[in-house]
C-alpha cells in the first residue's frame, strides 16, 4: 500500500515504527478502497471472523464486505438475534481466526486505548483470536495515553451513548462527568501497550477522519 500525506501533519511513519517496537504491526492506506483491499489479504476464505461495534467499520463498508465473503462471519448485528444468541457470538469471538474492530485512540508511542461497556469488544482484542485487525482514522491518533483517555471519555463516549440511545448525562451535556448511571457505557478502560505474539495485532490507519 502506498503512503499518502497524513492529515493534520501527523507523523504516520513514526507511529508505525512505535507499533512495531511494541510487537504490533502498523499499516497506512489512503482511503476505504485501499482499506478493503488490504483487509482481504489478511482474511482468507473459509476462516472465522468476529467483530466489535465500530462506527468506523460501518462507514468504510467493512461489515458489508465481510458479509459478501466466503467466510464464517460472526455477525452480531442480526436484529433477529436474542440476547443469549448474541452472547454466544461474543464467546465464539475468542476462538475466531480474525477479530476486526475499531479503537477509541492510538497513541504516537504505539499503544491502543479503548473504553467498553460490557467488555465484548476489548476482551477478544486482549486474548483469543489468532489475529486482531484494528481500523482507525487519523482523528483517532493522540500524543499519549493521557490524551487518549481524555479523547475517549470526552469525545467518543458521549457520541456513542447518543448513538445507542442511552439516557446517561453525557448525551445531554456532550461531555463525561464520570456518572454512575445504570446505562453507563464507560465501564472498561483498556490500554494495550504491547503484545507477546508478534504482529498478532495489526493497526490499519486510514487517511480520513472516521468514527468517533
Amino acid at each position: 500500500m502506498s503512503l499518502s500525506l497524513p492529515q493534520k501533519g501527523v507523523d504516520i511513519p513514526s507511529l508505525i515504527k512505535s507499533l512495531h517496537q511494541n510487537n504490533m504491526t502498523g499499516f497506512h492506506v489512503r482511503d476505504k478502497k485501499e482499506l478493503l483491499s488490504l483487509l482481504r489479504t489478511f482474511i482468507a476464505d473459509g476462516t472465522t471472523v468476529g467483530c466489535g461495534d465500530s462506527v468506523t467499520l460501518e462507514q468504510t463498508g467493512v461489515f458489508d464486505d465481510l458479509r459478501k465473503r466466503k467466510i464464517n462471519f460472526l455477525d452480531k448485528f442480526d436484529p433477529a438475534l436474542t440476547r443469549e444468541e448474541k452472547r454466544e457470538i461474543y464467546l465464539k469471538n475468542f476462538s475466531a481466526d480474525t477479530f476486526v474492530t475499531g479503537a477509541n485512540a492510538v497513541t504516537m508511542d504505539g499503544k491502543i486505548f479503548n473504553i467498553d461497556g460490557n467488555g465484548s469488544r476489548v476482551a477478544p482484542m486482549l486474548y483469543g483470536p489468532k489475529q486482531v485487525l484494528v481500523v482507525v482514522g487519523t482523528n483517532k491518533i493522540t500524543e499519549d495515553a493521557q490524551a487518549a483517555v481524555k479523547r475517549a471519555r470526552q469525545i467518543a463516549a458521549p457520541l456513542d451513548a447518543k448513538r445507542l440511545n442511552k439516557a446517561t448525562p453525557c448525551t445531554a451535556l456532550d461531555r463525561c462527568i464520570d456518572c454512575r448511571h445504570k446505562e453507563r457505557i464507560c465501564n472498561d478502560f483498556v490500554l494495550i501497550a504491547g503484545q507477546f505474539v508478534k504482529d498478532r495485532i495489526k493497526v490499519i490507519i486510514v487517511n480520513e477522519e472516521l468514527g468517533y
Side-chain angles (χ1 to χ4, degrees):
M1 287 296 164
S2 59
L3 293 180
S4 55
L5 291 175
Q7 295 182 4
K8 299 181 180 179
V10 178
D11 189 350
I12 302 294
S14 291
L15 170 53
I16 290 176
K17 182 179 179 180
S18 295
L19 287 165
H20 280 244
Q21 290 172 340
N22 296 336
N23 249 11
M24 297 181 276
T25 309
F27 300 86
H28 183 204
V29 298
R30 289 179 295 186
D31 52 31
K32 302 170 187 178
K33 183 178 180 181
E34 283 195 354
L35 168 64
L36 295 179
S37 179
L38 181 60
L39 288 176
R40 291 184 195 117
T41 68
F42 294 138
I43 300 173
D45 287 350
T47 58
T48 297
V49 180
C51 67
D53 274 356
S54 172
V55 173
T56 294
L57 297 184
E58 290 178 5
Q59 291 175 335
T60 52
V62 171
F63 292 140
D64 288 337
D65 193 62
L66 291 174
R67 293 182 182 110
K68 298 173 185 176
R69 293 284 310 277
K70 296 178 180 179
I71 60 174
N72 175 27
F73 180 39
L74 304 175
D75 194 347
K76 57 169 285 184
F77 301 106
D78 184 346
L81 289 173
T82 64
R83 181 185 294 270
E84 186 58 32
E85 287 171 335
K86 185 171 285 191
R87 182 177 184 277
E88 286 300 313
I89 286 179
Y90 291 154
L91 295 175
K92 288 179 181 178
N93 283 335
F94 287 103
S95 57
D97 297 294
T98 300
F99 186 75
V100 187
T101 184
N104 291 134
V106 177
T107 67
M108 284 301 299
D109 58 351
K111 300 172 183 176
I112 304 168
F113 180 74
N114 281 296
I115 291 178
D116 210 355
N118 66 3
S120 62
R121 176 174 61 141
V122 295
M125 294 178 73
L126 296 175
Y127 186 80
K130 295 176 182 176
Q131 75 170 344
V132 177
L133 305 177
V134 181
V135 180
V136 296
T138 52
N139 53 314
K140 301 295 186 69
I141 300 171
T142 64
E143 185 62 33
D144 52 31
Q146 183 177 2
V149 175
K150 182 177 180 180
R151 185 194 183 282
R153 293 188 68 177
Q154 302 302 337
I155 297 176
L159 289 171
D160 210 32
K162 285 184 179 181
R163 178 181 69 89
L164 297 170
N165 296 314
K166 300 297 184 182
T168 49
C170 63
T171 61
L173 299 172
D174 291 323
R175 60 186 176 87
C176 175
I177 60 169
D178 196 19
C179 74
R180 294 294 181 270
H181 196 280
K182 64 180 181 179
E183 294 186 357
R184 171 184 167 123
I185 64 172
C186 298
N187 294 319
D188 304 307
F189 290 61
V190 177
L191 180 71
I192 298 176
Q195 284 287 285
F196 273 136
V197 180
K198 183 174 174 56
D199 301 336
R200 172 181 173 267
I201 292 183
K202 300 173 177 65
V203 179
I204 304 171
I205 305 159
V206 186
N207 203 55
E208 299 179 13
E209 293 197 3
L210 297 166
Y212 305 147

